[in-house]
Amino acid sequence: MDNNKKYSSATLCVQAGWTPSKGEPRVLPIYQSTTFKYDTSEQMAKLFDLEETGYFYTRLQNPTNDAVAAKIAALEGGVAAMLTSSGQAANFYAMFNICQCGDHFVTSSNIYGGTYNLFGVTMKKFGIECTFVDPNASEEELQKAFRPNTKALFGETISNPGGEVLDIEKFARVAHRNGVPLIVDNTFPTPINCRPFEWGADIVTHSTTKYMDGHAVSVGGAIVDSGNFDWEAYPDKFPGLTQPDESYHGLAYTKAFGRNAYITKATAQLMRDLGSIQSPQNAFLLNLGLETLHLRMPRHCENAQVVAEWLEANPKVKWVNYCGLPNNRYNALAKKYMPNGSCGVIAFGLEGTREDAIKFMDRLKFIAIVTHVADARTCVLHPASHTHRQLTDEQLREAGVAPDLIRLSVGIEDVNDIIADIEQALS
Ligand SMILES: *Cc1c(COP(=O)(O)O)cnc(C)c1O
């Protein structure tokens, strides 16, 4: 590809990241090697000192992973990206790269359950505290959550499982007024439907396990940096980036790497020490998924829209939350940030009891009950009897999950067959 040309998302999905030269494989190869060879000891020493770039050990960098990360960076419009072993690792690294013991961050409370637990329980054990805020609160309300030691603001473009849409511009304004970056988990819309950097977000994370892979074959994550946040403007707030790193002979990331400082630090320091790498094999599979992301996302959205409208019109269905529905609370935000469609995930509740919801799911034929969302096959999950089954109805409501909430992830099969399966299970 011509690096100076701006290509559309469809072309980037197919072509970005791997540009072979004469005689090299047309398809991105799997560099199934833990290590890389050099001729002299001095060459190797320069890599260890970050004086030269190059591969030496796959825990830090691998060419297959880097090609796929570059494709994701191109799709999001960022300057650099890294792959991680899971979406959980991506959100942890994204935050831990700028927060240390004694620091604080602010996060939307409408986020994935795993992230909620990571932020509210596990990171607390590292001495990093967070405040959960209602993302629909006013800017004045959000402002109250900030402290002098606050280092970031976090939210999900579309929340999992609730389907709430984040007002990215509002969040970016509040973050920047407080001199901190906005980190957005963009898993559900993917860069095909929303590019948060265009609305002021500074860092984007992904669980690539979902639509990016799209076939439910490999767990993975990614962090992308826009390169836009000026860490040097707040040198005391972000010492890990702006001040000398003792573990690299006093190198300061912002001075040595400029707009690549954030991802370079996450790679050279966090990946080196914590080691949550994505395997090159999984990165290869992720790349196959990315090659058709621009074809799959519109189909997921089209199908979900038809299914959501059908559910809404069905008397056995009590409520439906899908931001594509005109009367939905988040429809205006969805139209603004995702004019071409949001995602394929719908939340709804049936008339009747918890048991009725379970009976409905058990009667489905090809729509499977699985702990997964956002892949080619339509699937359902009932958080109250699966992921959140230890909670009472009361506790469920506190966690933002209605006891009757069924999460339906609409796949790319024929929509008439999907509706027919739902219809026979309801009757
Ligand atoms: C699934 C998910 C995660 C966690 O990703 P894993 O790949 O399962 O670790 C994080 N954020 C969102 C929005 C998710 O849907």
Side-chain angles (χ1 to χ4, degrees):
M1 294 189 96
D2 177 352
N3 286 333
N4 298 316
K5 196 173 158 9
K6 256 194 171 303
Y7 294 100
S8 79
S9 291
T11 306
L12 294 174
C13 277
V14 182
Q15 295 272 357
W18 176 247
T19 307
S21 36
K22 182 166 176 273
E24 284 186 338
R26 182 65 196 92
V27 175
L28 171 67
I30 308 174
Y31 283 85
Q32 193 69 49
S33 181
T34 58
T35 193
F36 300 83
K37 178 191 168 287
Y38 289 90
D39 289 335
T40 67
S41 169
E42 197 198 340
Q43 285 172 345
M44 183 75 94
K46 285 199 164 133
L47 296 177
F48 271 100
D49 287 349
L50 300 183
E51 279 174 20
E52 277 178 18
T53 55
Y55 298 97
F56 54 107
Y57 191 54
T58 285
R59 168 149 45 76
L60 283 102
Q61 280 187 288
N62 173 283
T64 307
N65 293 28
D66 281 359
V68 181
K71 177 179 281 188
I72 295 172
L75 282 168
E76 287 286 5
V79 294
M82 73 191 284
L83 300 187
T84 56
S85 57
S86 67
Q88 285 301 106
N91 281 327
F92 173 56
Y93 281 27
M95 202 54 85
F96 196 56
N97 205 30
I98 47 174
C99 289
Q100 58 187 23
C101 182
D103 286 344
H104 169 261
F105 62 95
V106 180
T107 173
S108 162
S109 57
N110 292 357
I111 54 174
Y112 175 65
T115 314
Y116 195 92
N117 207 59
L118 167 70
F119 287 172
V121 180
T122 300
M123 286 185 74
K124 206 170 168 185
K125 295 178 187 165
F126 286 70
I128 299 168
E129 278 195 49
C130 72
T131 303
F132 291 100
V133 292
D134 174 359
N136 300 309
S138 68
E139 291 187 35
E140 292 68 38
E141 281 298 315
L142 294 174
Q143 181 60 42
K144 287 184 193 153
F146 283 78
R147 305 176 188 170
N149 62 340
T150 302
K151 300 297 166 79
L153 177 61
F154 182 93
E156 282 177 12
T157 319
I158 304 176
S159 67
N160 176 8
E164 293 102 352
V165 179
L166 185 74
D167 189 344
I168 304 172
E169 281 191 319
K170 177 178 78 177
F171 261 51
R173 270 195 306 275
V174 177
H176 296 159
R177 192 180 301 138
N178 289 281
V180 303
L182 171 62
I183 305 178
V184 171
D185 182 331
N186 197 36
T187 296
F188 270 14
T190 81
I192 298 301
N193 286 338
C194 182
R195 279 183 298 279
F197 294 156
E198 293 173 0
W199 302 101
D202 302 287
I203 291 149
V204 155
T205 59
H206 282 280
S207 165
T208 61
T209 316
K210 314 293 167 52
Y211 290 117
M212 281 193 171
D213 168 305
H215 302 76
V217 293
S218 57
V219 173
I223 307 174
V224 192
D225 183 15
S226 66
N228 292 337
F229 193 82
D230 187 1
W231 311 104
E232 290 272 1
Y234 313 94
D236 299 333
K237 204 177 268 199
F238 303 105
L241 282 158
T242 60
Q243 285 163 33
D245 179 354
E246 282 161 35
S247 68
Y248 276 112
H249 317 299
L251 168 148
Y253 292 98
T254 44
K255 287 178 193 73
F257 301 104
R259 293 182 81 202
N260 284 322
Y262 177 88
I263 292 292
T264 305
K265 174 177 179 287
T267 305
Q269 196 186 70
L270 299 190
M271 213 41 115
R272 178 195 64 187
D273 296 352
L274 302 170
S276 313
I277 58 154
Q278 187 164 131
S279 74
Q281 172 85 36
N282 277 359
F284 174 84
L285 292 169
L286 169 58
N287 189 51
L288 288 185
L290 289 168
E291 287 182 5
T292 57
L293 186 65
H294 61 297
L295 299 177
R296 291 182 286 106
M297 286 313 291
R299 182 62 173 262
H300 279 290
C301 297
E302 242 170 75
N303 280 0
Q305 186 69 30
V306 175
V307 172
E309 286 170 13
W310 186 89
L311 285 171
E312 197 173 46
N314 192 299
K316 288 181 179 145
V317 177
K318 196 172 1 174
W319 58 271
V320 183
N321 186 26
Y322 183 66
C323 63
L325 293 173
N327 61 0
N328 186 268
R329 176 179 185 187
Y330 296 99
N331 189 248
L333 285 176
K335 275 194 178 136
K336 173 178 172 179
Y337 293 114
M338 295 166 274
N340 299 322
S342 53
C343 69
V345 182
I346 300 171
F348 71 99
L350 295 178
E351 295 289 353
T353 60
R354 250 195 207 204
E355 285 63 43
D356 291 320
I358 292 166
K359 264 191 236 150
F360 159 73
M361 287 185 294
D362 286 348
R363 278 201 217 104
L364 291 163
K365 299 278 196 272
F366 74 80
I367 300 177
I369 305 172
V370 297
T371 309
H372 197 253
V373 273
D375 73 77
R377 297 162 204 84
T378 301
C379 60
V380 281
L381 183 84
H382 183 223
S385 41
H386 305 137
T387 47
H388 297 63
R389 65 175 291 119
Q390 72 282 10
L391 304 188
T392 63
D393 283 8
E394 167 100 80
Q395 289 172 316
L396 279 172
R397 276 190 212 96
E398 271 171 21
V401 180
D404 62 345
L405 185 151
I406 296 172
R407 186 181 68 185
L408 175 68
S409 174
V410 181
I412 57 175
E413 305 93 339
D414 188 309
V415 73
N416 295 314
D417 289 333
I418 297 170
I419 288 177
D421 198 9
I422 297 171
E423 191 168 25
Q424 65 79 26
L426 278 177
S427 60

